[in-house]
Amino acid sequence: QVQLVESGGGLVQAGGSLRLSCAASGGTFTNYPMGWFRQAPGKEREFVASISRGGGTTRYADSVKGRFTISRDNAKNTVFLEMNSLKPEDTAVYFCAADTTGTRWNFRQFDYWGQGTQVTVSS
């Protein structure tokens, strides 16, 4: 059973930055591709970014490309989301997710999820 705990959310002004962290436990972190998703009020959850097991491959939603960076520290069982040039439309609950199959992340499908952390960007 994989447990994921996000942290680092908060309130920031437009143009600012935040760094989200997701600590994993209960599994073999180095086997799992990881992802970040977000859900804004009244909207469906959407893909933000993903990263391969070794960190060599990253993917991003077009809406965050060039502003957000996903990374991971396998020694610390942690995945990060560095968010720069934040916009009010980035306001959402951000979730990290693990793909324990190792392959379904290619289709943006993940099977373990954290509880989420709120990010609010004021204009």
Side-chain angles (χ1 to χ4, degrees):
Q1 190 81 3
V2 178
Q3 292 85 43
L4 303 172
V5 179
E6 302 94 337
S7 61
L11 174 64
V12 64
Q13 288 189 332
S17 299
L18 280 175
R19 188 191 197 204
L20 305 184
S21 299
C22 172
S25 61
T28 307
F29 182 73
T30 53
N31 286 349
Y32 309 147
M34 300 293 294
W36 286 97
F37 288 72
R38 67 186 182 187
Q39 187 167 19
K43 295 187 177 182
E44 293 189 354
R45 186 170 60 192
E46 65 174 358
F47 169 80
V48 174
S50 60
I51 188 166
S52 60
R53 286 174 281 198
T57 299
T58 56
R59 296 169 181 157
Y60 298 92
D62 288 343
S63 59
V64 306
K65 204 171 292 184
R67 299 188 299 121
F68 290 11
T69 302
I70 188 171
S71 62
R72 65 191 295 162
D73 184 339
N74 283 345
K76 296 183 178 179
N77 288 0
T78 302
V79 62
F80 305 98
L81 186 68
E82 183 77 34
M83 305 185 296
N84 298 314
S85 301
L86 282 162
K87 306 174 182 179
E89 51 263 44
D90 294 317
T91 295
V93 177
Y94 284 71
F95 300 89
C96 78
D99 170 22
T100 61
T101 71
T103 57
R104 296 180 69 187
W105 75 293
N106 293 298
F107 306 100
R108 299 181 177 179
Q109 295 175 358
F110 295 79
D111 49 347
Y112 284 91
W113 297 83
Q115 294 298 307
T117 185
Q118 176 71 47
V119 171
T120 302
V121 184
S122 63
S123 56

